[in-house]
Amino acid sequence: MKQREEQAGLILLIEDNRGIAEMVGEYLERRGYGVDYATDGITGLRLAINNSYDVVVLDLMLPGMDGIELCRRLRGEAKKSTPVLMLTARDTLDDKLVGLEAGADDYLVKPFEIRELEARVRALIRRDRRLVSAEVLRVGDLILDTATLRLTRGENELIASPIGIKLLTILMRESPRVVSRRDIEREIWGDTLPDSDTLRSHLYNLRKIIDKPFQRPLLHTIHSAGYRLADLDAEVAASHAV
């Protein structure tokens, strides 16, 4: 395990293609990152659980355990929130949704430019290190404690990905106002904006967590304007009470 002092960040690279792994590892080390390396999913999961990394760069197709299963176990069994950048040769929306549903924060399609990979890594680190003042946010019966990252709706405890938590933090702080797509993307990814499917995929997953099991939806798409989180029933009741 490399020392973190004076590093841009400590990265776990899980990639079985030696050529890609050497190219990525050497480039990131030249850019000031520390890099740990695994060639299979089982070793990668053990390292990800037992150590503290700033980002895990995870190939989808791995021997021993694929990237989807590794990500699910990292989020589910190990309860680790380390940002995950998934590398995949599959470019369909359904494939991307599977990765994001498993808990990946971002994805990069092979072949990729190494500078874009570093930019994605840097954006994930910047987002994860951003200091957030401890507060309890509430919209309707949805509650998020930003200190503990505990998310509940009614009596139900919910599990969301790190990007999902960040989305909720943005939307709950602004509720009931509408937040534009561009403002959300810049708040989460900075200047390295993802492709058009990424935010939509995260919002789709978030709806499945906070809305689908419940009677009243809270997350609303405002056509040509953006998104807002609001309890519409409470708004109507408040307007009638005035």
Side-chain angles (χ1 to χ4, degrees), residues 70-169:
L70 190 158
C71 205
R72 285 193 182 119
R73 293 193 184 188
L74 187 67
R75 299 293 191 230
E77 297 173 13
K79 307 296 184 187
K80 296 277 280 191
S81 61
T82 310
V84 172
L85 172 61
M86 189 168 284
L87 306 179
T88 175
R90 302 172 180 175
D91 195 22
T92 70
L93 177 58
D94 285 345
D95 290 323
K96 294 171 182 176
L97 283 171
V98 170
L100 294 171
E101 286 175 354
D105 298 277
D106 198 2
Y107 52 80
L108 194 57
V109 177
K110 296 178 178 178
F112 52 81
E113 288 285 342
I114 189 65
R115 289 178 298 173
E116 182 177 3
L117 182 141
E118 190 211 352
R120 299 287 185 93
V121 166
R122 191 169 61 245
L124 287 173
I125 291 174
R126 183 172 60 242
R127 187 213 75 205
D128 202 53
R129 288 180 176 176
R130 190 173 295 147
L131 294 178
V132 179
S133 58
E135 57 186 318
V136 176
L137 302 170
R138 182 191 299 266
V139 175
D141 57 351
L142 183 70
I143 301 172
L144 172 62
D145 186 327
T146 62
T148 64
L149 301 185
R150 184 169 184 262
L151 176 66
T152 59
R153 183 163 183 187
E155 300 298 320
N156 302 281
E157 187 153 357
L158 309 177
I159 303 297
S161 71
I163 289 283
I165 292 294
K166 185 62 181 174
L167 275 169
L168 280 174
T169 302

Side-chain angles (χ1 to χ4, degrees), residues 21 37 115 140 174 193 201 228:
Y37 175 58
R115 289 178 298 173
E174 296 297 323
L193 298 182
S201 299
R228 75 172 184 140

Side-chain angles (χ1 to χ4, degrees), residues 178-181 221-227:
V178 176
V179 186
S180 73
R181 178 191 186 96
T221 301
I222 310 302
H223 183 64
S224 300
Y227 306 91

Side-chain angles (χ1 to χ4, degrees), residues 3-41:
Q3 295 298 317
R4 302 180 79 141
E5 294 178 2
E6 300 181 358
Q7 287 179 344
L10 184 58
I11 312 302
L12 174 59
L13 174 61
I14 310 175
E15 169 64 71
D16 65 325
N17 184 305
R18 182 173 295 275
I20 293 176
E22 289 179 352
M23 174 190 70
V24 172
E26 290 174 2
Y27 182 86
L28 290 177
E29 287 179 341
R30 289 199 305 270
R31 298 289 291 172
Y33 297 86
V35 182
D36 284 349
Y37 175 58
T39 59
D40 65 88

